[in-house]
């Protein structure tokens, strides 16, 4: 199904044109930089594992990035922007070969102010948090991949993370303060997208501009304690998670609220000394002064607090962050032991209904193990299930999806490598800006089916279609 088409360009010549930008043509490195975490999905793995770029460029500044884009425009070179390469749907995989522009050398932290941080797009999320901490701030949210993911990759490919239960997803008003992005033209122009306008670039998978600079909301840093509580029944664990997610900030200002099936917990090898096997886990981060409230909540739902460590204690014990057992790290913990596992992304219709969640768990049986993440969208609690699925074949996966859908759960298919994945409408705001910033359609070709249909239209006409859609993939 993959539309792999190799380029037939003179790559040594392109590399010369790109000078003084550093380029890498060593085939092993180019192949490595052509991959992300699509292999979580056996379906995407079969489709994408033979898709490679031709050359890697590593610009060190906005000017060097602009030079790369100008050369790409003149020579009609397909371009894929790449940060840490931690996306799960092959977003950073070059489907048509071409130039991979890796942004990690554009990593300066430019400004830290009251409630915001302004950085270059290739800055690592963990480095940003490390720079903020001594000033008493942290990012309003960040992905569990903060050690290798870039901020540009997060706003272009991610959607939510640690902090989203308090501060909402990235797309929530105020979370992205400003984005700057370069066009792909003879003389690339830097465009500035303030506040709501940033959604026209956010989560566009690098299709409609090369992000140079990101300004994100920050929040006061608190003395967080990473906690894990065990429960005998998944229903009670989920109900405790929902109660924690719904609690007023003044009672428990948690910045993570995850519920993990005991069968998954058995794969958490690094926690064997801390967490007994056979229990469903509530994984959270709460401020130290609210630990009493958390203990009371855990008691009320019949659970036991097994682990409570602040950052210093965690480092002394040489343990991973608790969020490395949440979000898509939960899947990774299982995949480290057994590559026959995969996952799915499921929207829970009524997050308050623990009975319905428990009934779905029973219905799916032994090959589907649930793991729920709670977030808040504009203050309203939402729940998503990222279950482990023991993969047999695509047909069986479709049956599992149908079981969810038959009871009103929404499947946001994680096994699709185009931005208009299952259940998603084309985002015409994204595509209108693609027309303006990337008129030759060189950025991440093949990742938008809708682009191929509308690329001949003027940007204003594409934008006029926006009333028909606007949703983007979740992750
Ligand atoms: C174990 C695991 C856990 C994860 N947890 C989370 C999570 O908690 N929350 C979440 O949202 N996601 C999560 N993800 C997905 C992913 O890690 C994040 O979205 C991450 O922030 C992506 O950053 P990156 O630098 O790796 O981006 P990449 O994978 O390099 O790129 C992602 C997309 O952004 C584009 N892009 C990159 N840089 C630019 C740029 N400068 N300009 C324009 N486009 C650009 C790429 O072309 C690609 O389409 C997880 C993935 C894994 C494997």
């Amino acid at each position: 199904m993959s539309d792999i088409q190799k380029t037939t360009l003179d790559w040594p010549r392109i590399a010369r044109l790109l000078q003084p930008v550093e380029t890498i043509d060593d085939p092993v490195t180019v192949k490595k930089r052509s991959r992300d975490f699509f292999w979580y999905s056996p379906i995407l793995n079969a489709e994408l594992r033979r898709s490679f770029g031709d050359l890697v460029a590593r610009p060190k500044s906005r000017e060097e990035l602009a030079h790369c884009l100008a050369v790409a425009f003149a020579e009609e070179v397909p371009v894929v922007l790449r940060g840490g390469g931690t996306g799960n749907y092959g977003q950073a995989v070059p489907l048509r070969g071409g130039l991979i522009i890796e942004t990690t050398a554009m990593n300066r932290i430019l400004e830290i102010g009251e409630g915001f941080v302004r950085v270059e797009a290739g800055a690592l999320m963990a480095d940003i948090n490390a720079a903020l901490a001594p000033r008493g701030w942290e990012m309003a949210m960040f992905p569990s991949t903060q050690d290798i993911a870039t901020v540009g990759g997060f706003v272009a490919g991610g959607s939510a993370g640690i902090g989203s239960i308090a501060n909402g997803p990235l797309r929530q008003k105020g979370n992205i303060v400003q984005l700057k992005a370069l066009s792909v033209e003879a003389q690339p122009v830097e465009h500035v997208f303030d506040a709501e306008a940033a959604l026209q670039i956010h989560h566009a998978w690098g299709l409609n501009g090369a992000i140079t600079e990101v300004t994100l909301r920050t929040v006061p840093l608190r003395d967080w304690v990473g906690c894990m509580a065990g429960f005998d029944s998944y229903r009670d664990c989920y109900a405790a998670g929902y109660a924690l997610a719904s609690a007023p900030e003044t009672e428990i200002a948690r910045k993570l609220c995850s519920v993990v099936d005991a069968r998954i917990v058995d794969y958490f090898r690094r926690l064997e000394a801390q967490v007994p096997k056979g229990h469903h886990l509530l994984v959270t981060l709460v401020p130290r002064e609210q630990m009493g409230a958390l203990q009371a909540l855990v008691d009320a739902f019949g659970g036991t607090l097994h682990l409570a460590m602040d950052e210093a204690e965690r480092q002394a014990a040489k343990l991973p962050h608790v969020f490395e057992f949440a979000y898509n790290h939960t899947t990774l913990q299982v995949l480290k032991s057994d590559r026959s596992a995969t996952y799915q992304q499921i929207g829970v219709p009524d997050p308050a209904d623990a009975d319905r969640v428990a009934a779905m768990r029973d219905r799916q049986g032994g090959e589907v193990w649930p793991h729920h993440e709670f977030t808040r969208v504009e203050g309203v609690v939402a729940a998503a299930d990222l279950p482990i699925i023991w993969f047999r074949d695509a047909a069986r996966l479709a049956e599992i999806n149908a079981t969810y859908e038959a009871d009103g759960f929404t499947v946001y298919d994680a096994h699709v490598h185009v931005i208009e994945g299952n259940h998603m409408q084309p985002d015409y705001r994204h595509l209108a800006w693609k027309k303006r910033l990337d008129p030759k359609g060189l950025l991440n070709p093949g990742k938008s089916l809708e682009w191929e249909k509308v690329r001949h239209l003027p940007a204003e006409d594409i934008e006029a279609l926006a009333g028909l859609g606007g949703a983007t993939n979740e992750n």
Side-chain angles (χ1 to χ4, degrees):
M1 157 167 169
S2 178
D3 51 347
I4 301 167
Q5 298 164 22
K6 289 298 282 182
T7 53
T8 50
L9 294 162
D10 178 352
W11 286 103
R13 183 172 159 272
I14 305 273
R16 279 195 304 279
L17 291 171
L18 286 168
Q19 284 173 2
V21 178
E22 178 194 351
T23 55
I24 305 166
D25 61 2
D26 154 50
V28 175
T29 309
V30 174
K31 280 192 170 184
K32 279 189 186 158
R33 297 293 193 279
S34 301
R35 295 176 64 82
D36 62 13
F37 280 68
F38 64 80
W39 55 268
Y40 266 41
S41 159
I43 294 169
L44 293 182
N45 198 36
E47 290 173 356
L48 301 180
R49 67 169 188 259
R50 285 180 297 276
S51 296
F52 302 113
D54 296 278
L55 186 72
V56 176
R58 287 194 82 232
K60 294 186 182 60
S61 63
R62 194 199 71 91
E63 290 70 27
E64 286 200 359
L65 175 57
H67 178 57
C68 294
L69 299 172
V71 170
F73 183 81
E75 302 295 317
E76 310 219 333
V77 178
V79 171
V80 174
L81 272 301
R82 179 185 176 88
T86 63
N88 290 112
Y89 323 117
Q91 297 106 303
V93 174
L95 286 184
R96 310 241 168 110
L99 182 66
I100 297 163
I101 302 181
E102 191 185 86
T103 63
T104 49
M106 290 174 57
N107 56 17
R108 286 179 306 151
I109 292 166
L110 302 167
E111 189 181 357
I112 294 174
E114 285 281 312
F116 72 91
V117 61
R118 187 166 63 87
V119 293
E120 288 187 324
L124 294 191
M125 306 293 289
D127 290 348
I128 303 171
N129 265 338
L132 287 168
R135 312 274 284 269
W137 298 98
E138 65 176 328
M139 279 178 286
M141 93 211 51
F142 53 90
S144 62
T145 43
Q146 68 156 358
D147 289 344
I148 41 176
T150 62
V151 68
F154 186 43
V155 294
S159 60
I162 293 81
S164 288
I165 182 59
N167 306 313
L170 266 175
R171 68 175 182 275
Q172 188 167 305
K173 195 173 176 186
N175 283 337
I176 303 178
V177 179
Q178 186 183 77
L179 295 180
K180 293 184 183 170
L182 280 169
S183 60
V184 187
E185 293 177 275
Q187 291 183 323
V189 175
E190 191 172 65
H191 294 253
V192 180
F193 298 85
D194 284 316
E196 295 284 284
L199 298 185
Q200 292 157 346
I201 299 290
H202 163 49
H203 214 286
W205 289 20
L207 277 157
N208 65 3
I211 299 167
T212 51
E213 212 179 278
V214 179
T215 308
L216 289 181
R217 174 186 169 202
T218 57
V219 293
L221 179 63
R222 303 184 70 155
D223 184 7
W224 295 108
V225 182
C227 301
M228 294 192 176
F231 295 79
D232 290 336
S233 96
Y234 194 80
R235 189 210 167 280
D236 293 347
C237 191
Y238 179 92
Y242 180 74
L244 177 61
S246 313
E249 295 266 313
T250 45
E251 264 172 43
I252 316 185
R254 64 270 156 288
K255 72 167 177 180
L256 175 71
C257 186
S258 319
V259 173
V260 187
D261 190 286
R263 293 166 291 183
I264 302 176
V265 176
D266 285 354
Y267 284 81
F268 291 177
R269 310 266 183 252
R270 298 283 306 278
L271 295 179
E272 272 167 359
Q274 284 76 25
V275 175
K277 285 185 181 252
H279 299 279
H280 308 283
L281 272 195
L282 174 62
V283 181
T284 185
L285 278 150
V286 299
R288 176 179 297 286
E289 67 275 16
Q290 293 174 337
M291 281 299 293
L294 177 72
Q295 182 68 66
L297 186 146
V298 170
D299 291 346
F301 285 88
T304 307
L305 196 58
H306 294 301
L307 182 144
M309 280 184 183
D310 66 16
E311 186 53 17
E313 290 164 338
R314 180 193 75 78
Q315 286 182 16
K318 295 189 167 56
L319 285 177
H321 292 279
V322 290
F323 57 71
E324 290 181 35
F325 303 91
Y327 278 88
N328 236 333
H329 263 86
T330 305
T331 320
L332 186 61
Q333 300 297 349
V334 177
L335 282 165
K336 277 181 196 166
S337 299
D338 193 336
R339 285 284 183 109
S340 56
T342 188
Y343 79 117
Q344 189 54 291
Q345 303 172 146
I346 308 295
V348 176
D350 177 3
D353 194 344
D355 289 333
R356 192 164 167 189
V357 165
M360 179 54 72
R361 175 177 179 272
D362 292 345
R363 201 167 306 140
Q364 293 285 15
E367 63 190 318
V368 182
W369 303 348
H371 146 221
H372 288 88
E373 291 294 338
F374 290 97
T375 57
R376 274 178 194 233
V377 184
E378 303 296 347
V380 179
V381 173
D385 189 2
L386 298 173
I388 292 292
I389 298 180
W390 293 98
F391 186 76
R392 249 189 273 163
D393 53 37
R396 178 65 194 135
L397 182 63
E399 286 171 7
I400 290 168
N401 292 345
T403 302
Y404 282 114
E405 287 174 329
D407 193 26
F409 290 71
T410 309
V411 179
Y412 298 99
D413 198 351
H415 306 271
V416 181
H417 71 258
V418 289
I419 195 161
E420 303 92 0
N422 195 2
H423 273 291
M424 289 299 158
Q425 303 294 323
D427 192 325
Y428 293 108
R429 299 162 311 171
H430 283 165
L431 296 177
W433 277 97
K434 182 169 179 65
K435 182 75 182 206
R436 293 185 187 109
L437 270 56
D438 179 25
K440 288 189 178 176
L442 296 170
L443 289 173
N444 221 348
K447 296 289 170 54
S448 168
L449 297 178
E450 196 65 16
W451 168 250
E452 305 305 332
K453 296 181 198 157
V454 301
R455 61 184 302 162
H456 63 282
L457 297 174
E460 293 64 35
D461 290 4
I462 300 175
E463 207 150 50
L465 298 167
L468 303 175
T472 51
N473 263 328
E474 293 296 318
N475 183 354

